[in-house]
Amino acid sequence: MSEFTEPIFERKLIDLRDSQKEIQSLSQYCVHHRLHCKAVVKVWYKNIKTTAVTRKLTAMYLANDVVQNSKKRGPEYAKEFGMVMRKVFEHLAVMDFDDKTIMSLVRLIGIWQERQIFEKKILHEISKIWDQKHKNSGAAKLTGQDSESPKKRRESSGSGTERRKSREIAEIEDLLDAPMLTSDSNELNDETLTLSPRQGGSPGSGDPPEPEELIQALQDLENSASSDAIVREKIAKLPPEVSEVARIETLQSVPEAKVLHGQVEEASTLLDDYNLRLQEELKDRKKVGSMISEFLSAQRDLLAQVN
């Protein structure tokens, strides 16, 4: 999983195509970097305000997938997206969408209400905004027609191009139903059951790292403070007088005192910096220990899935 920076995520949003696979892939990236949820939502909000009208629904499907698939790991995304969702729908309400897009958003809001994705107040506000948009459009006439499952509409278009486009749209809309699947379902196929360390570790295991992340973390420890031979040698070679209080009593001149003061200051700075690095190393080692534990837990879960 690549690192997170705002420019990187912004580029990913710009390059995002309206396909189920790409939306799910970018959603996994967001969930993985949930510690940056504030920045993720900030960049996403900027993108949906500026992107083309034809791409706004794709951005909404991405937000939906991120929120629903991150719920089991924490409420961060639901909270952050919830804070901007009213403004998002106020923005969408003035867009010139076609009827199918309007109905897709009607359906999206309905699923959010059914599953209580956001707080009731937020759901009420965005529903009120979009209900007015719905009533003022011709999409109301399509309500009975579009209440069907997307899968049932895949073959409804006439030409081959239209059927392909309809199928792509329907596959994206299927993402809305995906979180409803549970481990008890007998209808899971190969695409649903993904053998990945990120499918969900044991309770309390957290989000397991990718092998590359774990390897990098272990390599970083090789450059830790306790492995810094140069600094350790400098500390070993510090003059004994910098740590001997009795040395002060033997001073016979101001220049001699200044020299000792300089040596003490230099030693103190060296030791303070080294102690800070040791404290950071201790935190890093605990973090790596947790990463190893989570990774092993995830691997055991994968073995259980295979068996």
Side-chain angles (χ1 to χ4, degrees):
M1 191 70 66
S2 61
E3 64 174 333
F4 176 85
T5 66
E6 291 188 16
I8 288 177
F9 181 52
E10 187 173 1
R11 171 48 56 184
K12 287 179 179 291
L13 286 172
I14 293 172
D15 294 340
L16 179 64
R17 293 184 296 177
D18 55 344
S19 74
Q20 183 183 37
K21 182 178 179 180
E22 290 210 10
I23 291 173
Q24 287 180 321
S25 177
L26 188 52
S27 172
Q28 290 172 4
Y29 171 86
C30 295
V31 173
H32 174 68
H33 291 292
R34 65 188 183 281
L35 293 179
H36 300 283
C37 61
K38 289 182 181 294
V40 168
V41 174
K42 182 182 75 172
V43 175
W44 175 88
Y45 179 66
K46 176 183 176 183
N47 173 268
I48 200 170
K49 292 284 292 280
T50 58
T51 194
V53 173
T54 54
R55 292 177 54 81
K56 293 184 188 292
L57 182 60
T58 302
M60 292 301 295
Y61 281 147
L62 173 65
N64 170 71
D65 203 69
V66 171
V67 172
Q68 296 211 49
N69 286 301
S70 65
K71 282 183 68 177
K72 63 183 179 181
R73 292 172 179 167
E76 300 94 344
Y77 273 117
K79 179 181 177 181
E80 293 300 323
F81 274 109
M83 291 173 64
V84 301
M85 205 51 72
R86 177 190 173 92
K87 292 182 179 179
V88 168
F89 273 89
E90 288 175 344
H91 167 71
L92 296 177
V94 299
M95 296 291 106
D96 186 18
F97 290 124
D98 59 39
D99 292 341
K100 287 189 176 181
T101 300
I102 293 174
M103 289 308 304
S104 293
L105 288 168
V106 168
R107 182 167 177 262
L108 179 61
I109 295 172
I111 289 175
W112 287 352
Q113 290 174 324
E114 178 185 341
R115 301 178 189 176
Q116 292 295 296
I117 299 301
F118 300 112
E119 294 179 0
K120 289 184 179 180
K121 180 181 178 182
I122 296 171
L123 291 170
H124 174 73
E125 290 175 344
I126 63 178
S127 179
K128 184 177 179 181
I129 293 170
W130 206 247
D131 280 349
Q132 189 61 43
K133 173 75 170 180
H134 181 204
K135 291 176 182 177
N136 292 339
S137 72
K141 300 177 183 178
L142 301 175
T143 303
Q145 169 188 332
D146 280 54
S147 60
E148 296 180 280
S149 167
K151 292 181 180 179
K152 294 182 180 179
R153 300 198 305 266
R154 288 183 184 177
E155 304 302 326
S156 61
S157 298
S159 68
T161 301
E162 290 174 338
R163 283 197 297 271
R164 186 184 72 251
K165 186 63 177 178
S166 177
R167 183 170 61 252
E168 290 174 352
I169 294 173
E171 286 175 351
I172 295 172
E173 290 180 345
D174 284 345
L175 289 173
L176 302 181
D177 293 323
M180 295 289 286
L181 295 172
T182 66
S183 59
D184 297 328
S185 173
N186 295 321
E187 299 178 359
L188 295 179
N189 55 30
D190 291 339
E191 291 182 357
T192 304
L193 182 61
T194 305
L195 294 182
S196 166
R198 297 190 183 281
Q199 188 171 355
S202 300
S205 65
D207 188 18
E210 295 286 357
E212 295 81 3
E213 294 174 314
L214 183 56
I215 292 171
Q216 184 61 54
L218 290 169
Q219 290 176 339
D220 290 342
L221 287 179
E222 296 178 1
N223 300 320
S224 58
S226 60
S227 302
D228 193 336
I230 296 176
V231 174
R232 290 171 64 88
E233 184 178 359
K234 286 182 179 180
I235 293 174
K237 290 183 178 181
L238 287 173
E241 52 266 28
V242 299
S243 59
E244 296 176 356
V245 179
R247 173 64 175 159
I248 299 177
E249 299 178 358
T250 65
L251 295 175
Q252 298 180 352
S253 65
V254 173
E256 194 175 347
K258 289 183 177 180
V259 171
L260 179 60
H261 179 266
Q263 291 176 328
V264 171
E265 284 289 319
E266 183 179 351
S268 178
T269 300
L270 178 64
L271 292 172
D272 285 345
D273 290 344
Y274 189 63
N275 282 332
L276 287 174
R277 291 179 60 197
L278 287 174
Q279 292 175 22
E280 290 300 317
E281 179 184 345
L282 181 59
K283 293 179 182 178
D284 290 341
R285 289 188 179 277
K286 288 181 178 180
K287 179 181 177 181
V288 171
S290 296
M291 291 173 68
I292 293 173
S293 176
E294 291 166 1
F295 183 80
L296 292 176
S297 176
Q299 296 307 308
R300 285 192 291 268
D301 287 345
L302 291 181
L303 289 174
Q305 292 177 36
V306 174
N307 297 329

